[in-house]
């Protein structure tokens, strides 16, 4: 999906979350942290705050800039790409499973806090397919009018 942050690094801003509790039981969390970098955390452990998959990019996010973001899973391998370039790869020893009984939230934590400050465009969630297995050149869409 394409993402534009109004104020990266101001506070933790959650793009996608599926959580059971605040400090543990996170099944899927994609956010930009206070350090201004996109991270993805995946778990399935409701007993503590450890994560089975913890992917943190090193690229700082600049305000008012569109990014093409992709998080993929192929078996136990998770990849994290920004603007078509591989940022991080993690191989999970245990693959987290989504919980059909917990709602998926876009733009905030599951409890409605830590709202995402920006814009999302062209969000796709695919099951059973990986869009890219290597670096790619993202499509050059015209900028999205924020007023739309």
């Amino acid at each position: 999906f394409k993402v534009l942050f109004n104020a990266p690094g101001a506070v933790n801003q959650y793009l996608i979350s599926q959580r059971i509790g605040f400090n543990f039981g996170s099944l899927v969390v994609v956010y930009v942290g206070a350090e201004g970098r996109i991270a993805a955390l995946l778990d399935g452990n409701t007993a503590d705050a450890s994560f089975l998959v913890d992917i943190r990019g090193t690229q700082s996010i600049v305000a008012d800039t569109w990014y093409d973001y992709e998080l993929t899973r192929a078996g136990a391998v998770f990849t994290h790409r920004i603007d078509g370039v591989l940022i991080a790869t993690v191989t999970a020893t245990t693959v987290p499973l989504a919980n059909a009984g917990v709602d998926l939230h876009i733009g905030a934590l599951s409890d409605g806090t830590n709202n995402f400050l920006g814009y999302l465009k062209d969000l796709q969630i695919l099951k059973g397919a990986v869009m890219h297995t290597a670096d790619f050149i993202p499509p050059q869409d015209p900028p999205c009018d924020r007023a739309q």
Side-chain angles (χ1 to χ4, degrees), residues 12-106:
N12 287 348
Q13 299 175 48
Y14 291 78
L15 284 83
I16 300 172
S17 81
Q18 184 183 34
R19 297 182 80 154
I20 296 168
F22 183 71
N23 289 321
F24 57 86
S26 300
L27 299 172
V28 179
V29 176
V30 178
Y31 74 103
V32 63
E35 71 283 353
R37 293 188 287 275
I38 293 179
L41 307 173
L42 296 97
D43 197 2
N45 184 356
T46 58
D48 61 32
S50 65
F51 293 96
L52 299 174
V53 177
D54 184 342
I55 304 174
R56 297 174 191 265
T58 57
Q59 178 179 348
S60 293
I61 301 300
V62 177
D64 297 318
T65 302
W66 282 101
Y67 293 93
D68 191 286
Y69 176 77
E70 184 175 282
L71 174 67
T72 62
R73 171 185 160 196
V77 178
F78 292 82
T79 58
H80 179 93
R81 285 187 170 80
I82 296 176
D83 291 336
V85 178
L86 182 66
I87 300 300
T89 299
V90 173
T91 301
T93 54
T94 304
V95 178
L97 299 174
N99 184 337
V102 179
D103 291 337
L104 181 69
H105 293 259
I106 298 173

Side-chain angles (χ1 to χ4, degrees), residues 110-134:
S110 299
D111 64 3
T113 62
N114 293 81
N115 293 337
F116 166 60
L117 305 173
Y119 299 88
L120 293 174
K121 179 181 174 194
D122 302 330
L123 176 66
Q124 295 181 40
I125 299 174
L126 306 173
K127 180 179 177 182
V130 175
M131 293 289 291
H132 301 99
T133 57

